[in-house]
Structure formats: structure tokens, C-alpha cells
Amino acid sequence: MSTGSTLLVTFDGLRRDRVSAELMPNLFRFMDEGCDFLNSRSIFPSETRVAVTSTMTGSPPGAHGVVANQFIHAVRPDDLFRTSEWEDLELAAQAGQLLDCQTMGERMAAAGRTMAVVSTATKGASRMMNSSAHAFGQPVFSVHGMPVSTPDLHAAVLAQLGEIPPAGAPNSARVTYATQALMEVIYPRHNPDFCVFWMNEPDTSSHKFGVTGAETEAAQRMTDENFGHILAWWQAGNGPENIVVMSDHGQITGHAQLETLDIIPAEFGRASIGSFSGIYLDDVSDARKAEVVDWLVRQDFCGLVFASNAGGEAIGGALPWSAVRNDHARGADVGFTLRATNCDEQWGPEIDGCIFATWITPGGGMHGGLNRGELATVLAAQGPAYRRAFKSDVPCWLPDIIPTVLTTMGLSTIGSEGRPMVEALVGEDARFGTAPIVEQRLLSATRHGHEQYLRQWVIEGKTIIDCGWTAGTGAWAK
């Protein structure tokens, strides 16, 4: 194992403000004693497969091309391209149209380093943790088995630990099984330089039982208990040098479901409707985009709207795609979020709410938009590469994680758009321990009384999204 070896532990769907000494004592203590990034954020849309890909490429969707959990893609001309489905991802990969950025797996292979993945997430999310793992012979263990898992590792885990338990909510049995696999099989067999361990809780329980539901709190305690086992194992001298913990997004409460997904006039073109929705126009002229934006901002389901003209500037009444770093050729012509609470005025797990599209029941958790509760994530680190008992208020987001890990390994970050969080690092590099200058700006757009706002941080010329909200006739109404 090389200098800078790192285990990246993910608590899927964990809001930062849900971490407490009572609910999650091990994680709470880890954050307090290590380097805690107070202003860490997800990406937009704040959906899992987009977040996974943005983390593992060190770049936002506008660079890597996974622009949403589902969208219109050339390899699925007559249907939605669903990133949850292994088959869809494989089609895109075979066509050379899956990713436009180098992944961590590719970087590790090129540097002669090793990487492993252990995941309880969906097949699609697990694939995007290392999309080329099979090609490079890098080990993967997924609770979904083949083709996600690499066959030899999957067989080794089952031989040592027995059959994979069934899924549940909370998904306690599977998360606990995967934790054992990590410590008892993956590290003894492979001792990877970089390893991803992904727990799909409290996301699964939050969707079903709500952000503050008793079952969701039980899921939080369960993941924290498993994390405690990992910490004890690590502190006994096992595993990597450094541990980084993260969440990929938070969740807010789904208050009201759309009566139908058929909310976009057919004459506009095709649409993918969700917490984040995209419209792919038959007529992509600036004039047509303006007509669609004009129609959207009058609708009672509409939150923030994104559309750019041929020159990349905002269409009147919308914000430009570049404002959320999602200006990719595979992206929608016009995009919008479903209406949510105003997180500028007040926010919290008991306050944040949204309209949702489908598959949860009212009161369940949802994510995908720009509410602060969806974007504020957990990010902390311990190990010889990181400052101890350090609270960093420098804004950061998911694409900054891999460049930071690469920097601790002494490897190049060229090709990523994320920023190494050098203010948190220790060592002889002159950059380490020095915080960059941070600016803040507010973007806005108004049309027909529908107001929308996006707050950004600007660091070294690049933007990070703090949060977004609507007001005026676009204001939230329960």
C-alpha cells in the first residue's frame, strides 16, 4: 500500500444537520476530532448517480456528461436512459458515450495503484463508483452480485461470510454484511490504495419513512455502529492511512405528489420528469426556448428554471446552465426543479419540503433539487494527511474530494475540475494549510412575478452552488 492510501466511506442521503452525538456518536466524534468541512455541498441535480459520478471523476456534470439520474441519450432513442440500470450504462459505455472525464479507477490504473469498491447501493450507482473496474481487473463487491461484482471477489466473500442477506428498510443486514466484507475479505485480499465503501442508508429509509422518521433514525444508528467497527479496526493498525467520510446529498420532505407526470405539452418535445426535470425540444431555437420558459414559470409546480441560448447566456426568465455547472451537450434544452420551500429564509429537517413526481408517499424523503437541505453534505477526514481538530469553513463540493485524495497520494489532478482542499492538508507542500480567497454572489431571474435565486461561492475562478430557491409567484405554498 502506498503513501496517501485512503478509504472513502459514504453515508448515502445523510443531511449534515442530522449528525448528532446522540444519533451518530462515532461519526460525530470523527468529525469533531478530524478535519471537518463545514460548508460541503452536493452537485446539481442532487441525485445519487450524478453525485457518484461527480465524486469519482472530480468534475461536475457539465464535464462528465451524466447530467441526471435519467435523461435522453442517443443510445436509448425511444426511451429514457436510466442510470440505475446496468444495461443502459453498458450500452453507453460500448458506444463510448458514458463519460467524458477520467475516473479515479483509470487514474489508479495509470499510476500503478490499486482500487476497490464495496457497495450496497443500486447496480447503476455501484457501476459509476468505478465504471471501468472490470476492464482494469479492479475488485468490486456489490450486494447485487454479478455483473456488478467481480466474480472472484464475489465468490470469496460468499465463501467466507455466507449468502448475502435480503434487502430491507432499514437495510441493516446488508450494510452490516458489507462492512464485514470490507474488513475481513477486501482489505486482507487486496489491500487497496483507494477503496470506496458505500452504505445506501439513511437514503433508503429516508425515502420510505421520512427524514426524521423513527426507522430512518434507526438506519442512522445502524450505519454509525458499522462505522464504529471500521474505526476500531483502523485504529488497531489495519487498512489505509486515511479515512474520508462523505454523504452524496441530503433529503427534504415530499409534501405533495404531481397528479400526473404528463405535465409538459407534447408540442414542446420529450420530457423526463422528476425532482429535477428536463425538456428536450423538437425546436431548439432560442425563440422556442423562450416560449417554453415563459410557459413554465406560470405553472404552480415550477421551481427554478434553466435554459441557455446559443451563446451560453441565460434565456429570459431562466438561469443559464453554466450557473449550475451542468452545461453538457447531453443535457436538456430546458430544465426545471419542482417547487420547494425557500431555504434562504429558514431551513431544517422539519421545515424543508417539496413537490415530488412519483414513487414515494407524502412525508417520505426526496432529493434532486437545490434546497439547502438537499445540498448540505457531510465531509470530514482523519489520518496523517489531514489536520486534526480543524474546522474548515472554505466551501467545497463533491468534485473536490478526488483531487484532494490524489494530492495526498502525490498524483496529478490534471483533467479534473475540482480543487484540492489544500487548506486541510499537512506536509511540506507550500500550498498546504493555506485557505483560498472566497467570494459570494447571488444570481437571479424574474418573469411574470416568478422569482428565482441561486447563491454561489467563487473560489479560484470556479463556482460552487450554495443553494437555490424561488419567491414571488414562485413561492412555496403547502
Side-chain angles (χ1 to χ4, degrees):
M1 188 177 296
S2 60
T3 300
S5 58
T6 300
L7 170 63
L8 178 63
V9 178
T10 301
F11 296 80
D12 197 326
L14 178 61
R15 290 175 58 118
R16 180 182 175 87
D17 56 13
R18 293 297 289 161
V19 180
S20 67
E22 187 275 324
L23 273 179
M24 307 185 79
N26 293 303
L27 178 57
F28 183 87
R29 185 171 59 254
F30 181 90
M31 295 167 67
D32 185 58
E33 295 176 351
C35 182
D36 185 9
F37 298 89
L38 304 176
N39 287 318
S40 58
R41 294 290 185 267
S42 186
I43 39 70
F44 178 72
S46 50
E47 298 175 326
T48 297
R49 269 82 71 190
V50 190
V52 172
T53 309
S54 298
T55 302
M56 296 307 159
T57 61
S59 291
H64 59 65
V66 177
V67 296
N69 266 0
Q70 61 180 28
F71 54 99
I72 306 297
H73 195 299
V75 300
R76 283 284 191 208
D78 301 320
D79 200 358
L80 288 176
F81 178 82
R82 293 180 168 87
T83 60
S84 60
E85 302 303 317
W86 180 275
E87 294 75 14
D88 286 18
L89 297 174
E90 186 63 22
L91 273 176
Q94 291 174 0
Q97 298 179 41
L98 180 57
L99 290 175
D100 294 343
C101 288
Q102 192 176 24
T103 66
M104 187 59 165
E106 292 169 336
R107 289 178 182 274
M108 291 291 96
R113 307 288 181 91
T114 56
M115 176 175 172
V117 170
V118 182
S119 175
T120 63
T122 64
K123 294 179 181 179
S126 301
R127 168 74 180 259
M128 299 314 294
M129 293 171 203
N130 190 357
S131 59
S132 53
H134 290 268
F136 289 116
Q138 295 164 325
V140 175
F141 174 74
S142 163
V143 294
H144 297 288
M146 272 74 76
V148 190
S149 292
T150 46
D152 59 337
L153 179 56
H154 197 78
V157 172
L158 267 63
Q160 187 162 334
L161 301 182
E163 292 298 317
I164 298 169
N171 204 22
S172 305
R174 282 192 164 182
V175 169
T176 300
Y177 182 97
T179 303
Q180 291 180 279
L182 175 79
M183 297 184 294
E184 298 175 21
V185 184
I186 282 76
Y187 268 93
R189 282 175 62 93
H190 297 284
N191 204 23
D193 295 307
F194 180 65
C195 183
V196 179
F197 178 57
W198 197 284
M199 296 182 283
N200 69 327
E201 289 285 14
D203 186 74
T204 295
S205 295
S206 296
H207 281 306
K208 187 171 184 179
F209 303 111
V211 175
T212 62
E215 296 88 346
T216 303
E217 292 189 349
Q220 289 184 241
R221 291 190 175 94
M222 176 273 299
T223 56
D224 187 72
E225 181 178 346
N226 279 288
F227 182 56
H229 295 323
I230 293 172
L231 285 179
W233 165 82
W234 178 60
Q235 290 163 351
N238 300 296
E241 287 188 353
N242 305 301
I243 291 182
V244 177
V245 296
M246 61 168 278
S247 60
D248 55 337
H249 56 76
Q251 288 204 17
I252 61 178
T253 302
H255 281 270
Q257 183 175 358
L258 292 173
E259 293 183 2
T260 175
L261 297 184
D262 188 21
I263 59 175
I264 303 301
E267 61 265 26
F268 288 168
R270 301 172 65 189
S272 171
I273 304 301
S275 297
F276 163 73
S277 302
I279 307 173
Y280 294 76
L281 304 178
D282 293 332
D283 173 4
V284 297
S285 67
D286 290 350
R288 187 56 161 171
K289 291 177 185 177
E291 291 178 12
V292 173
V293 170
D294 189 82
W295 180 86
L296 268 175
V297 297
R298 300 171 188 260
Q299 309 308 309
D300 58 8
F301 57 75
C302 183
L304 289 97
V305 182
F306 300 90
S308 301
N309 62 24
E313 302 299 319
I315 294 289
L319 296 168
W321 282 111
S322 59
V324 286
R325 308 282 292 277
N326 202 336
D327 45 342
H328 192 277
R330 284 196 284 272
D333 300 302
V334 179
F336 63 96
T337 65
L338 296 179
R339 193 167 296 192
T341 49
N342 184 341
C343 59
D344 179 53
E345 297 176 350
Q346 54 182 344
W347 66 294
E350 302 284 1
I351 298 171
D352 306 329
C354 64
I355 298 172
F356 63 94
T358 185
W359 73 267
I360 70 165
T361 56
M366 186 47 66
H367 56 95
L370 286 156
N371 188 286
R372 196 191 309 249
E374 297 166 283
L375 294 188
T377 58
V378 170
L379 183 60
Q382 284 193 30
Y386 297 90
R387 299 173 69 176
R388 289 191 58 81
F390 176 63
K391 308 297 182 186
S392 174
D393 60 2
V394 177
C396 57
W397 64 337
L398 298 181
D400 294 338
I401 295 172
I402 289 303
T404 304
V405 173
L406 289 170
T407 299
T408 66
M409 292 181 172
L411 300 177
S412 172
T413 63
I414 293 174
S416 68
E417 293 192 11
R419 181 188 67 87
M421 296 177 286
V422 293
E423 62 277 6
L425 302 182
V426 296
E428 297 181 358
D429 192 312
R431 300 173 298 167
F432 292 179
T434 303
I437 295 173
V438 179
E439 300 176 9
Q440 190 176 86
R441 67 185 180 195
L442 184 67
L443 305 183
S444 64
T446 303
R447 193 167 189 83
H448 303 307
H450 181 280
E451 302 172 15
Q452 51 189 314
Y453 301 92
L454 185 75
R455 184 178 294 123
Q456 300 173 323
W457 289 298
V458 185
I459 305 174
E460 297 177 350
K462 294 183 179 180
T463 57
I464 293 174
I465 307 160
D466 177 13
C467 61
W469 66 93
T470 55
T473 58
W476 168 259
K478 291 186 179 181

